[in-house]
Amino acid sequence: MNKTLRFQWAVRASRPAARLVLVQDGRLLAGPSLPVPERRALEAWLAAAKFTGEVAATAWPPGLPVPVLLVGIGKTPEFHPARWRRAWAAAGRALANVRTLKTISCEWPAAASFPLTTAELAGLAADGLLQGEYSFEAYKSERSARRLAIEWTGAALATRAVRAAVHLAEQTGGILREVRDVANRPANDLAPMALAAQVRKLARRAGLACRVWNQEALRRAQCRALLAVAQGSHRPPCLIRVAYAGRRGWRPFVVVGKAVMFDSGGISLKPPKDMDWMKYDKSGGMVALATVLLAAHRRLPRPVVAYIPAVENMPGGGATRPGDIVTARNGKTVEILNTDAEGRMILADALTFAADEKPAAIVDVATLTGAVIVALGHEATAVLGNNDRLILELMLAGEATGERLWQLPLWSEYDEMLKGKFADLKNIGDGSAGTIAGGAFLKQFVPADIPWAHLDIAGTAWREAEQAHGAPGATLAGARLLAEWAARSRPGP
Ligand code: BES
Ligand code: MN
Ligand code: ZN
């Protein structure tokens, strides 16, 4: 990794190369460290430029003796952890786009005006900075190799809790950036078995057990739902298991992540405008991987196991035809009426492996439906499941990490939609409630006594274009929240 942000705590006498000043309610959040003439100049500029400090708005006002990066954090009553994190991500993005800067210092605002602890604020800020600053450069001939240091000043920050929160964000940030580098790779350079090799490498380095079922092993395990998706591609599928052992006597959390290396739709081919970014269809798998790596790094007591079914959905000569019927690993038969509803097929088989682990809970993560983008856009991940307590835990963890979840219902009435004409199930509903139909299908593959939740990250996993708060590409939305959820879980099975 060629770019790092460093956070330093002690007040340094050295003259900062630049200054970062937050703007809230249209006013500068800066204390005595900002010299009066500069403050006056900035205030004049704010008024002239009508810079109101909307969340993630940034600016470098001209003509100051020391360059100042202004970062908007919005209005006090609209404060939200996700917005605070986003503002800092925008700061990270603004800094990434300035190639000459060496250090920047920020005077921390008075904590009283925020509904979070200073440690929580600092952790979110560091996380935002690191993720905002990241961009995917593996395939560019010219890369920006530059180290950027951020120095924080202000006694409020010199506490243990703050240090710990920032340290955690830095460590987490390193892991997430590494996994994002995998998640951003195009499908021509990352076949399912190549992904397995990557995962194995990362798992080994973290001291984690890793097992891979290749195509032969998947046949023996009767994963015909998964294999049906893969059979239109020349590149064989696999199922990857990565396990962090945690403390003895605790039952694991199992995270199942959809890894469709490329989703052409298969014979039910997608329209071209929906296609190039379908290399992002492996995002759920990448989130599952990141979650175990984070759990292991934090040495959580809770064991965390990831299952990552990896396939390519292609319309080759051997491809599954609409109307084909297959038997999933749990014995249920499925009519495949649309080969583009492939995620639920591979998850179906992976979920039965997850259930075999006797887990305390299962969470699957998938870019499952375009319908979730219709419902929630790109601001929230949909959460559905069979256990409202689990769902609430996940939602609260998401509030803490700035990754928002929104629940959709999964009442048994919806199961009707998925009854097959010639088989037990069909893989699509009637066209209504597309995200719920996906969840209702998955539910058929999870024993009812295991708490289970499904995260549909189709709208949150990818940034199509450069935005104020992030570079284009994989976001790994859900990874921090799942690690946080595992960290919060109480002792025992
Ligand atoms: N990976 C897609 C989900 C998707 C589609 C994400 C469009 C973003 C934009 C998934 O495999 C898929 O194709 N889902 C279908 C399901 C349908 C056939 C029931 C969809 O959403 O169109
Ligand atoms: Mn699809
Ligand atoms: Zn898909």
Side-chain angles (χ1 to χ4, degrees):
M1 221 168 308
N2 50 24
K3 286 198 262 180
T4 38
L5 290 162
R6 244 172 343 107
F7 303 93
Q8 291 177 354
W9 297 100
V11 181
R12 286 270 218 85
S14 65
R15 214 175 125 82
R19 204 191 288 285
L20 192 158
V21 177
L22 301 176
V23 180
Q24 187 177 37
D25 303 319
R27 284 193 303 273
L28 303 171
L29 288 188
S33 79
L34 186 65
V36 173
E38 288 180 55
R39 171 185 296 275
R40 294 239 168 84
L42 280 170
E43 277 164 354
W45 184 88
L46 284 184
K50 298 197 169 64
F51 185 92
T52 55
E54 273 175 53
V55 177
T58 61
W60 296 94
L64 295 158
V66 173
V68 170
L69 172 61
L70 294 177
V71 179
I73 62 168
K75 297 199 181 74
T76 305
E78 283 149 28
F79 182 89
H80 186 278
R83 297 198 178 112
W84 169 259
R85 186 178 165 279
R86 174 171 304 190
W88 283 90
R93 207 70 220 117
L95 294 173
N97 292 329
V98 179
R99 285 165 181 267
T100 49
L101 214 60
K102 281 231 175 60
T103 67
I104 181 158
S105 72
C106 174
E107 184 188 357
W108 197 254
S113 45
F114 300 101
L116 294 178
T117 66
T118 304
E120 288 167 332
L121 291 168
L124 284 163
D127 178 42
L129 274 169
L130 281 162
Q131 297 308 315
E133 199 259 357
Y134 169 89
S135 49
F136 179 56
E137 296 186 314
Y139 295 83
K140 297 229 171 164
S141 335
E142 231 176 273
R143 301 179 202 175
S144 55
R146 178 180 40 76
R147 293 178 84 85
L148 191 61
I150 306 258
E151 300 174 359
W152 311 68
T153 61
L157 288 173
T159 69
R160 258 221 183 143
V162 170
R163 252 181 252 264
V166 171
H167 185 69
L168 181 66
E170 284 182 280
Q171 302 287 309
T172 302
I175 291 169
L176 290 177
R177 287 162 71 120
E178 214 160 22
V179 178
R180 280 171 84 178
D181 275 340
V182 182
N184 279 319
R185 275 170 62 178
N188 63 323
D189 212 7
L190 199 65
M193 288 303 282
L195 175 69
Q198 276 292 323
V199 173
R200 217 190 260 290
K201 200 174 86 188
L202 292 172
R204 180 169 302 159
R205 219 183 50 201
L208 300 176
C210 181
R211 177 173 172 193
V212 177
W213 286 258
N214 63 15
Q215 189 163 38
E216 229 356 271
L218 289 169
R219 282 204 189 104
R220 283 196 300 274
Q222 313 222 298
C223 294
R224 295 203 196 91
L226 188 159
L227 290 165
V229 176
Q231 73 194 38
S233 168
H234 291 293
R235 308 194 297 181
C238 60
L239 174 66
I240 309 163
R241 176 187 185 271
V242 187
Y244 162 63
R247 196 171 294 165
R248 235 186 262 148
W250 291 48
R251 287 195 288 157
F253 284 173
V254 182
V255 181
V256 181
K258 166 181 172 180
V260 173
M261 310 312 294
F262 182 72
D263 182 10
S264 71
I267 296 296
S268 316
L269 201 62
K270 283 187 184 299
K273 72 167 177 45
D274 286 343
M275 243 198 251
D276 65 282
W277 61 296
M278 282 303 143
K279 61 183 173 188
Y280 103 125
D281 217 17
K282 59 184 176 302
S283 299
M286 301 297 86
V287 169
L289 169 65
T291 304
V292 218
L293 292 174
L294 293 175
H297 177 266
R298 293 169 73 166
R299 297 210 176 84
L300 301 182
R302 178 66 66 187
V304 180
V305 180
Y307 274 97
I308 306 170
V311 305
E312 181 171 55
N313 188 21
M314 296 290 275
T320 290
R321 297 144 287 247
D324 284 1
I325 297 176
V326 297
T327 308
R329 182 167 177 262
N330 74 344
K332 292 197 180 171
T333 56
V334 183
E335 252 177 289
I336 301 174
L337 296 186
N338 189 322
T339 64
D340 199 9
E342 84 297 339
R344 58 199 76 183
M345 300 298 292
I346 69 172
L347 289 170
D349 282 340
L351 282 167
T352 63
F353 275 94
D356 292 346
E357 302 266 352
K358 305 257 171 301
I362 299 174
V363 178
D364 76 75
V365 198
T367 48
L368 206 72
T369 63
V372 79
I373 307 177
V374 178
L376 299 175
H378 304 282
E379 295 304 329
T381 293
V383 57
L384 309 85
N386 65 4
N387 185 302
D388 282 336
R389 186 185 155 149
L390 169 62
I391 288 170
L392 188 61
E393 283 173 13
L394 291 166
M395 292 180 81
L396 291 173
E399 283 292 302
T401 61
E403 301 167 298
R404 293 191 272 205
L405 298 185
W406 200 256
Q407 185 180 7
L408 294 178
L410 203 51
W411 302 305
S412 56
E413 283 78 0
Y414 290 110
D415 297 348
E416 283 305 311
M417 279 201 281
L418 292 153
K419 297 229 161 97
K421 204 190 305 171
F422 302 114
D424 302 337
L425 295 165
K426 52 192 170 93
N427 77 330
I428 54 172
D430 59 13
S432 68
T435 302
I436 296 174
F441 182 88
L442 297 176
K443 192 173 80 175
Q444 310 302 317
F445 299 88
V446 183
D449 58 342
I450 301 178
W452 156 78
H454 159 60
L455 305 186
D456 193 331
I457 56 170
T460 48
W462 192 257
R463 203 173 286 113
E464 186 55 28
E466 168 91 19
Q467 279 182 298
H469 58 284
T475 64
L476 296 186
R480 294 175 201 75
L481 112 81
L482 288 173
E484 177 63 22
W485 165 65
R488 291 172 171 210
S489 71
R490 303 266 55 89

